[in-house]
Amino acid sequence: MTLSQQRPNDRTDWWRGATIYQIYPRSFLDANGDGIGDLKGITARLDHVASLNVDAIWLSPFFTSPMDDFGYDVADYCDVDPMFGTLDDFRALVERAHELGLRVIIDQVLSHSSDQHPWFQESRQDRTNPKADWYVWADPRPDGTPPNNWMAAFSGRAWTFDARRRQYYLHNFLPSQPDLNFHNPEVQQAQLDNLRFWLELGVDGFRFDVVNYYFHDPALTDNPPMPRERVQPGNPQSYQFQQHNIEQPENLPYLERIRALLDEYPGSTTVGEIAGNDQLPTMAAYTQGESRLHMAYTFDLLGSTGDAAELHDVLARFRELGEDTWPCWALSNHDVERSATSWGEERALLALTVLCSLRGSLCLYQGEELGLPEAELAYEDLQDPFGINLWPEVKGRDGCRTPMVWEDAPNGGFCPEGVPPWLPVFARHRPLAVERQDQAPDSLLNRVRQLLKLRADSDTLRQGEQQLIAPEALPEDVFGVVRQSGEQRLLCLAHLGQEGAVAARVRLDDLVPGANGWSSLALPGMATPQLEGRELGLEPGQATWLAIT
């Protein structure tokens, strides 16, 4: 039996309504004492992940890489970087995860490689070699400038001149991350072969980095300017609308080829990261029907601050665009400010309670179960090129990538004392360590375990339909949805008002006309709401789930 046949259970749609726990390998646990997390460290702590009542893990890149962008610059798609271990270590990780009932999803960075990848090393030799057309090359303009105005995500032009070929190559990110040319059928097949390699090793699915970036406009048309009100002055790329460098129509047929491959491995799944200027329509299109991605996510909720009206607007717009599609919602990940800071540290449990009430699959980022706030770092501690290049207007992504805290110790139990971790352990994280919260029954960690168990045990929350409640039908600052599966209905409400907001009175008959009665589910860390007749009282920061009869 191959690892690809050792699935935790037989349900092929396990991903629908699942909770996925994202692990950033560099920062999870250092098992070999070099200050950098590794695969053996992840395997050693999978029991903690399983205790959260999640369904799967998602591993950020661990492939061979020079680490200019910390693994998102891949030099070998089919091997493990020695920094993280070996392929045997990965096999052991998959085996242990499956023993614990956890599926394994891994990152795939298909749109671009490292400039150290053998494909690019060959491609840049001349214009006639077998891989000459595997990357996006273009001649200079007559005055020597780049072929168009496209800008890179990490500042500067999206083109770098190569003296040997006397051409520019495209890179939507760092100059050391050249874009692959997906208009070349050989490139498409090479990346499908890469996916098959990992499926045969037993992975249960893929998270696709910038899945809408695979194809570019071969005419290299200039991008139009962004409306001034949407420009972020500290980020040069935001000055233009990314119309021609990403989201080309050829992307959809290629996603269908990917889905056809995964259909050969029942129970495998996909989740795509949608980045760009208008993300929700792309998310809907990329997950439409049964022949494209299983799931996708955007940055719309990842940028949420917990405002009830804004939260409703994102979900309402998605409903209009993708009623028959399946989303994957998250409030935190390795690219954005931690939700305990964006929503407020005192509202960390409230944020996850709202997340658990939504239709779709969920993604929890390591440390979110502990309520870790965004770490504050000095410029000299930064590792992220995004932050280094755009400091201080953009502080980069290191604040959400600092090491996981397992113990209240100088290095948080992440690596041995006396060994400098790759990013400093934030002092305010140490009292929130797993070891301390494990021992406190009312800790956020234990409440999150209970919350995720409630969702895992509820077909209504995992699989049910969702009816958004319009803001005008609710008191100010109150967010609400009705979830339904068959005859089972659940009214989920949350008062998202900030400090100083007034208590809300909710007339239940106005929200669910004709209901015979209500019974409140005991939510961890939430006081039982006041129910007086047909009216419910909610304090700021309070959430409730009511079973409707």
Side-chain angles (χ1 to χ4, degrees):
M1 178 181 289
T2 67
L3 278 177
S4 61
Q5 296 169 307
Q6 296 175 14
R7 306 296 182 187
N9 58 55
D10 295 326
R11 218 183 110 219
T12 58
D13 68 343
W14 64 269
W15 51 270
R16 192 177 291 271
T19 300
I20 302 165
Y21 184 88
Q22 182 194 354
I23 293 174
Y24 193 70
R26 292 182 69 93
S27 298
F28 200 62
L29 182 68
D30 168 22
N32 65 0
D34 65 357
I36 298 171
D38 44 51
L39 296 181
K40 285 185 176 179
I42 294 170
T43 304
R45 290 290 186 171
L46 284 177
D47 291 78
H48 166 75
V49 179
S51 79
L52 299 175
N53 301 299
V54 301
D55 301 277
I57 58 172
W58 151 29
L59 302 180
S60 293
F62 52 83
F63 315 109
T64 307
S65 168
M67 300 294 164
D68 289 350
D69 191 22
F70 301 103
Y72 286 90
D73 48 325
V74 180
D76 186 339
Y77 284 99
C78 296
D79 204 357
V80 173
D81 193 279
M83 175 187 298
F84 298 121
T86 66
L87 278 173
D88 283 340
D89 293 334
F90 180 77
R91 291 185 182 96
L93 188 158
V94 172
E95 184 175 7
R96 179 59 181 151
H98 285 175
E99 288 173 357
L100 292 168
L102 295 169
R103 305 277 181 153
V104 179
I105 295 171
I106 65 171
D107 243 305
Q108 284 291 304
V109 192
L110 305 187
S111 69
H112 53 271
S113 75
S114 165
D115 62 357
Q116 301 304 304
H117 197 293
W119 297 344
F120 186 73
Q121 291 294 306
E122 183 174 353
S123 184
R124 75 190 314 176
Q125 292 303 310
D126 54 53
R127 302 190 188 192
T128 59
N129 68 78
K131 296 209 170 33
D133 194 36
W134 277 46
Y135 291 81
V136 183
W137 295 95
D139 292 329
R141 288 173 171 169
D143 63 356
T145 56
N148 63 23
N149 71 344
W150 297 351
M151 299 295 289
F154 296 155
S155 84
R157 293 286 192 136
W159 298 95
T160 290
F161 188 74
D162 185 89
R164 183 173 296 172
R165 283 189 54 145
R166 300 177 185 176
Q167 288 181 304
Y168 284 92
Y169 65 86
L170 175 67
H171 52 87
N172 277 298
F173 297 93
L174 293 172
S176 57
Q177 293 171 292
D179 273 58
L180 282 150
N181 178 20
F182 275 81
H183 293 285
N184 185 330
E186 292 180 348
V187 171
Q188 295 185 34
Q189 187 58 51
Q191 291 295 39
L192 291 173
D193 292 343
N194 154 39
L195 300 183
R196 188 181 293 278
F197 173 85
W198 293 105
L199 287 166
E200 283 299 312
L201 279 183
V203 304
D204 301 285
F206 302 107
R207 178 265 186 187
F208 291 114
D209 188 61
V210 290
V211 72
N212 51 331
Y213 275 59
Y214 295 164
F215 288 83
H216 66 286
D217 171 17
L220 304 183
T221 309
D222 278 355
N223 279 333
M226 180 69 75
R228 296 297 297 177
E229 64 273 12
R230 295 183 59 185
V231 169
Q232 304 167 23
N235 183 356
Q237 190 186 53
S238 73
Y239 283 76
Q240 59 183 226
F241 193 90
Q242 293 179 272
Q243 181 174 337
H244 300 292
N245 59 318
I246 63 174
E247 289 177 12
Q248 300 305 293
E250 296 90 341
N251 236 48
L252 289 175
Y254 189 62
L255 295 183
E256 292 172 358
R257 293 188 67 189
I258 290 175
R259 179 61 177 265
L261 170 61
L262 268 77
D263 286 346
E264 296 179 30
Y265 297 81
S268 59
T269 193
T270 55
V271 55
E273 176 198 38
I274 309 293
N277 305 125
D278 198 9
Q279 300 167 13
L280 286 175
T282 305
M283 178 179 176
Y286 282 22
T287 54
Q288 189 174 46
E290 300 294 327
S291 63
R292 297 172 184 170
L293 297 175
H294 298 81
M295 303 174 280
Y297 74 88
T298 73
F299 285 79
D300 293 88
L301 282 194
L302 285 166
S304 168
T305 59
D307 178 86
E310 291 179 1
L311 184 59
H312 173 273
D313 288 348
V314 169
L315 297 172
R317 187 158 180 251
F318 176 75
R319 179 188 60 193
E320 294 168 4
L321 295 166
E323 183 68 25
D324 64 339
T325 65
W326 196 259
C328 184
W329 299 117
L331 301 176
S332 290
N333 74 10
H334 65 293
D335 281 332
V336 300
E337 184 177 70
R338 285 186 171 274
S339 62
T341 295
S342 59
W343 278 61
E345 292 179 45
E346 73 288 350
R347 301 203 302 168
L349 181 62
L350 177 67
L352 294 179
T353 303
V354 170
L355 186 68
C356 284
S357 72
L358 301 181
R359 176 181 181 269
S361 301
L362 313 180
C363 198
L364 196 73
Y365 180 49
Q366 66 180 51
E368 205 167 1
E369 74 274 25
L370 306 177
L372 299 186
E374 186 81 353
E376 299 170 11
L377 300 174
Y379 177 78
E380 53 268 25
D381 291 325
L382 295 186
Q383 301 286 338
D384 180 18
F386 188 38
I388 293 170
N389 291 343
L390 299 177
W391 180 275
E393 284 73 18
V394 177
K395 294 186 177 181
R397 302 163 296 181
D398 287 325
C400 63
R401 297 178 176 183
T402 56
M404 185 75 170
V405 284
W406 301 100
E407 307 164 5
D408 187 1
N411 284 337
F414 165 73
C415 62
E417 292 188 30
V419 174
W422 80 282
L423 279 175
V425 173
F426 189 36
R428 288 188 53 216
H429 286 179
R430 285 173 45 188
L432 302 174
V434 171
E435 185 179 62
R436 291 190 61 166
Q437 294 204 42
D438 259 336
Q439 299 167 3
D442 293 332
S443 68
L444 178 66
L445 171 60
N446 282 314
R447 286 171 170 168
V448 169
R449 285 172 173 147
Q450 297 165 33
L451 176 67
L452 294 177
K453 182 71 163 56
L454 280 176
R455 179 179 165 95
D457 290 344
S458 170
D459 288 339
T460 304
L461 289 171
R462 286 179 68 105
Q463 303 279 337
E465 296 302 314
Q466 175 172 285
Q467 174 194 341
L468 280 171
I469 301 174
E472 53 268 24
L474 292 164
E476 185 178 5
D477 295 326
V478 175
F479 171 79
V481 296
V482 176
R483 303 296 310 280
Q484 182 165 358
S485 177
E487 298 299 314
Q488 303 283 332
R489 288 190 297 172
L490 198 62
L491 173 63
C492 304
L493 298 170
H495 192 324
L496 302 183
Q498 299 283 358
E499 185 177 353
V502 298
R505 305 298 299 179
V506 182
R507 294 179 58 85
L508 298 176
D509 285 336
D510 292 344
L511 304 184
V512 189
N516 293 321
W518 322 83
S519 59
S520 178
L521 278 67
L523 284 178
M526 295 289 169
T528 302
Q530 297 176 343
L531 188 59
E532 298 178 4
R534 316 289 285 186
E535 194 171 79
L536 183 78
L538 276 181
E539 296 291 331
Q542 188 177 17
T544 185
W545 293 348
L546 298 172
I548 305 168
T549 57

